[in-house]
Amino acid sequence: DTTILQVFTKTLSLLPKFKKGKDLLRSHPILYTKNQQTMGFFNKLKNAASKAIKEDLLKSMGIDDADDGGMTRDEFEANKPDELRKDIRMISGCADRQTSADVSNVSSFQLPDPAGRAGGACTSTLLKVLYADERVPEEDLSFTQVLEQMRRHLKEGGYSQIPQLTSMNPIDVEAKFDLVPETATGVRRAVMIGINYVGDEPGELSGCWNDVLNMKKYIMDVHGFEE
């Protein structure tokens, strides 16, 4: 998507301002750990990219950055460029100030054939809500209900991370949660990416590839995606 590409490109362009980005990370291995205090670098980078993109967006809309506080939500929705009108929704594993946990054994999440493998706490919890023991819930769940159940299960499991729901456009969070809108037609395709950061000690993960396999089974069994 154009907007995602803009964020990525803008982020890359800012890396030199943070002491050559990659070299800085390599020289500070602690930045790879899951300690929340080490996430300051990444948050600073993300915030800088977001600020630059916001300035470019306001400029394209003919709005002075100093005056953007007076824009109402309706005014923004009416004037935002086409790149921001895409139907994109994201469930993230935690709040910006947090990190998402990698779980060594996900059998307690009742995943489809976990076989005691590692996995991400967020993905495992999402599947626990939507597909525990390879069964879908008897009653439809709303976006709010899915998110609330995920947060409750994580808290009960001793995880501090708080999953978030983000949408490019306003949505009815009380509407039925579905990965594929009922009105969708045509071939269903999914790009699924799991990165374990192999060799990047001590930041190497164990469950990302398994998350992809479990999500793949879910969308094929429940949402009609083909191999």
Side-chain angles (χ1 to χ4, degrees):
D1 182 83
T2 303
T3 303
I4 295 176
L5 180 60
Q6 285 179 325
V7 173
F8 182 69
T9 303
K10 185 68 69 173
T11 300
L12 289 180
S13 70
L14 290 170
L15 282 175
K17 297 182 180 180
F18 293 94
K19 299 182 180 180
K20 298 182 180 180
K22 185 176 180 180
D23 292 337
L24 176 62
L25 290 176
R26 294 297 183 189
S27 63
H28 294 77
I30 194 173
L31 290 176
Y32 282 114
T33 70
K34 292 184 177 301
N35 189 319
Q36 293 180 14
Q37 294 181 350
T38 67
M39 295 304 292
F41 172 88
F42 297 101
N43 286 333
K44 184 182 295 184
L45 184 61
K46 180 192 68 176
N47 291 337
S50 298
K51 180 179 179 181
I53 292 169
K54 175 186 176 184
E55 292 174 350
D56 290 345
L57 173 61
L58 292 174
K59 182 179 180 180
S60 69
M61 297 169 65
I63 300 172
D64 188 336
D65 188 23
D67 298 330
D68 74 296
M71 176 180 283
T72 67
R73 171 175 166 177
D74 290 341
E75 289 174 336
F76 176 79
E77 292 296 331
N79 291 281
K80 69 182 182 182
D82 291 340
E83 287 81 0
L84 295 183
R85 298 184 185 278
K86 310 299 183 181
D87 190 12
I88 299 176
R89 299 167 186 176
M90 177 181 69
I91 294 179
S92 50
C94 60
D96 288 346
R97 67 181 183 280
Q98 300 176 310
T99 54
S100 296
D102 197 44
V103 184
S104 60
N105 189 318
V106 298
S107 58
S108 62
F109 290 91
Q110 300 171 276
L111 299 189
D113 190 28
R117 299 176 302 183
C122 175
T123 302
S124 300
T125 304
L126 176 65
L127 288 173
K128 179 180 178 67
V129 173
L130 298 176
Y131 197 49
D133 295 325
E134 300 190 25
R135 293 195 300 268
V136 298
E138 295 182 359
E139 297 182 359
D140 291 338
L141 300 175
S142 67
F143 284 92
T144 298
Q145 290 173 318
V146 169
L147 201 63
E148 288 179 341
Q149 288 190 33
M150 288 180 64
R151 291 175 174 179
R152 185 178 73 250
H153 288 312
L154 284 168
K155 184 176 181 179
E156 291 174 350
Y159 301 97
S160 61
Q161 66 191 76
I162 305 174
Q164 308 291 312
L165 171 65
T166 306
S167 175
M168 187 72 77
N169 295 300
I171 62 172
D172 180 5
V173 294
E174 300 303 329
K176 174 186 175 182
F177 178 93
D178 203 339
L179 295 183
V180 181
E182 296 180 350
T183 57
T185 60
V187 178
R188 300 183 178 189
R189 304 183 187 278
V191 177
M192 312 189 76
I193 302 173
I195 304 176
N196 280 344
Y197 301 103
V198 176
D200 284 341
E201 292 291 348
E204 184 172 334
L205 303 175
S206 303
C208 302
W209 295 351
N210 297 332
D211 285 345
V212 167
L213 295 176
N214 281 327
M215 283 298 299
K216 175 184 175 182
K217 180 174 179 59
Y218 167 68
I219 65 174
M220 290 180 65
D221 290 352
V222 177
H223 294 284
F225 284 78
E226 298 181 356
E227 179 66 60

